[in-house]
């Protein structure tokens, strides 16, 4: 790993800001009901208000986080983008855990903006990035697939080169076999609940139905 190279989280943050700037504040996203302005406000609150950001996973705090998000959404568009570009403030734990906590966040939300218009192309990543994205995607996928009534192999399609190749298996050991085949970026988007993805699910029909029925994402 090149120590001078910006992290995946840093690069995706910058790329998302530029994509949002080009799209404008009222562009659609893959986050249901949210425009780019709504998404930008969410990102600002997530990093600047750690006291409320737990509302992403804790229902008891969700209303407080939404209140703050709506307040942030009233800021001028350029100001929102500047806040995202600047990163988490000094007092936020996310400032010191950026590489670990934000790679998936900014990659997924960047694609939320890129793919919302209905026409999108896949981006090229080097092997180091693909390894990182695959590890993140399989980790998320395994959290919701572990109790599904299927034995699921997560595989990359031919032509994808990873340092650590091979399928990742999860789910019920004696259940019907299912293969989920996807490039790393497609898998992480699918794992986070997105449908504008290129993912192939094959195998026993009962297992396919079980995989498709399980809630994805957070």
């Amino acid at each position: 790993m090149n120590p001078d190279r910006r992290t995946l989280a840093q690069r995706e943050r910058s790329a998302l800001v530029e994509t949002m700037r080009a799209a404008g504040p009222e562009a659609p996203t893959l986050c249901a009901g949210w425009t780019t302005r709504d998404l930008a406000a969410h990102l600002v609150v997530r990093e600047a208000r750690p006291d409320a950001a737990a509302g992403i996973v804790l229902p008891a705090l969700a209303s407080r986080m939404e209140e703050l998000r709506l307040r942030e959404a009233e800021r001028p568009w350029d100001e929102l983008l500047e806040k995202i570009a600047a990163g988490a403030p000094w007092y936020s734990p996310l400032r010191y855990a950026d590489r670990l906590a934000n790679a998936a966040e900014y990659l997924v939300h960047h694609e939320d903006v890129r793919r919302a218009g209905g026409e999108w192309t896949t981006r090229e990543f080097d092997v180091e990035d693909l390894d990182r994205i695959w590890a993140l995607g399989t980790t998320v996928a395994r959290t919701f697939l572990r109790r599904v009534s299927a034995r699921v192999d997560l595989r990359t399609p031919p032509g994808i080169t990873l340092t650590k190749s091979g399928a990742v298996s999860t789910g019920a050991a004696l259940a019907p076999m299912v293969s989920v085949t996807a490039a790393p970026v497609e898998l992480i988007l699918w794992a986070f609940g997105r449908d504008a993805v290129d993912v192939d699910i094959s195998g026993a029909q009962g297992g396919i139905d079980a995989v498709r029925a399980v809630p994805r994402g957070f």
Side-chain angles (χ1 to χ4, degrees):
M1 179 177 177
N2 183 353
D4 296 324
R5 187 190 193 199
R6 299 172 74 208
T7 66
L8 178 63
Q10 291 169 334
R11 286 178 279 126
E12 285 301 301
R13 179 192 296 273
S14 296
L16 172 59
V17 169
E18 292 310 308
T19 298
M20 281 183 158
R21 195 184 305 279
E26 305 306 324
T29 74
L30 294 183
C31 300
W34 278 7
T35 63
T36 44
R37 178 183 293 279
D38 294 314
L39 177 55
H42 159 79
L43 292 170
V44 169
V45 172
R46 174 181 173 272
E47 293 194 316
R49 293 298 302 264
D51 57 318
I56 297 171
V57 294
L58 297 177
L61 295 177
S63 61
R64 177 57 176 163
M65 185 172 184
E66 178 64 4
E67 176 186 338
L68 293 171
R69 189 191 67 79
L70 292 173
R71 186 182 303 169
E72 286 293 335
E74 296 177 357
R75 289 183 182 273
W77 177 236
D78 286 342
E79 186 175 331
L80 277 174
L81 296 183
E82 288 169 5
K83 281 180 168 288
I84 296 171
W90 65 267
Y91 56 79
S92 172
L94 290 179
R95 187 170 187 86
Y96 309 98
D98 183 68
R99 180 180 178 276
L100 296 174
N102 284 332
E105 179 80 6
Y106 279 91
L107 173 64
V108 170
H109 284 320
H110 187 194
E111 293 298 323
D112 282 338
V113 179
R114 291 187 71 248
R115 302 187 183 203
E119 294 185 7
W120 49 271
T121 57
T122 57
R123 292 186 290 152
E124 297 294 327
F125 291 87
D126 63 22
V127 174
E128 182 180 323
D129 284 340
L130 291 177
D131 282 341
R132 174 77 171 137
I133 296 166
W134 181 252
L136 291 168
T138 54
T139 297
V140 175
R142 290 172 73 177
T143 62
F144 66 82
L145 289 172
R146 61 188 173 187
R147 294 183 180 178
V148 71
S149 55
R151 182 64 178 174
V152 184
D153 282 349
L154 306 171
R155 302 175 178 272
T156 56
I160 298 293
T161 301
L162 300 177
T163 301
K164 297 180 180 179
S165 59
V168 175
S169 297
T170 189
L174 300 179
M177 290 291 298
V178 175
S179 290
V180 175
T181 305
V185 173
E186 304 306 309
L187 181 73
I188 196 170
L189 291 171
W190 179 79
F192 273 93
R194 276 45 174 188
D195 293 320
V197 292
D198 183 9
V199 173
D200 178 71
I201 304 175
S202 60
Q205 189 59 51
I208 293 174
D209 292 341
V211 169
R212 287 179 172 165
V214 68
R216 292 176 280 129
F218 297 100

